[in-house]
Amino acid sequence: MSKQTEKQDVGKLIVEYQPRLKSFIRKRVVNKDDADDILQDVFYQLVKTVDNAMNPIEQVAAWLYRVARNTIINKGIKKHEEELPVYKSDKSDDDVLKDFSELLFSNETSPSPETEYLRSLVWVELENALSELPPEQREVFELTELDGLSVKEISQTTGVAVNTLLSRKHYAVKHLRKRLTTLYEELIYT
């Protein structure tokens, strides 16, 4: 089959399947422009595949609908990823904890009523989050972060290995990050 004959056959296929494919796509895609783009992508794939003699299409209708469905799915996922709001776009977990730390431990001589209220909220949430931890994790966190002891000092006092203490603190910090990030997002985005 010559290239000219193939192009005429592709043209016939496009004319034949365009109305049905367009209807199929429009039922699954809200935006008309997106539906038109998907339809165009499907026919582009058809032309590319027909030009490739290595992969002949045996059942054209089934192939077209499968490509249309896959293109809808791919475009849907792509669009979903682009439109999701990014709450932490400029704030990492460490930044959130740093913001809270500055709020809790700032040396302002006369903080505003809003700052006092936020401090009280954060302290309450921190206490609640700490109370959810196993006692060993809570203890190592409080001793290192609130009392200022080093892990080595705690190890010498308690007889617990440094690596064990570090592991406990890691899990405590991980839990607190999650809880405080949730509070941070509630304060910022509501």
Side-chain angles (χ1 to χ4, degrees), residues 133-152:
L133 291 171
E136 304 85 24
Q137 291 177 12
R138 178 183 176 137
E139 180 183 37
V140 72
F141 180 84
E142 288 177 340
L143 290 172
T144 56
E145 296 302 316
L146 301 178
D147 296 340
L149 297 175
S150 71
V151 175
K152 188 175 181 180

Side-chain angles (χ1 to χ4, degrees), residues 32-33 54 85 95 110 190:
K32 183 184 181 306
D33 291 334
M54 301 295 282
D95 291 338
S110 57
T190 57

Side-chain angles (χ1 to χ4, degrees), residues 2 9 11 20 36 63 66 82 85 113 115 120 135 153-154 164 172:
S2 72
D9 289 345
R20 288 185 279 173
D36 291 342
W63 186 91
R66 186 175 62 246
E82 291 170 356
T115 302
S120 69
E153 291 172 318
I154 299 168
T164 302

Side-chain angles (χ1 to χ4, degrees), residues 133 137 165-176:
L133 291 171
Q137 291 177 12
L165 292 171
L166 289 172
S167 176
R168 290 176 182 171
K169 183 177 177 185
H170 167 77
Y171 286 112
V173 169
K174 188 175 177 182
H175 174 74
L176 295 173

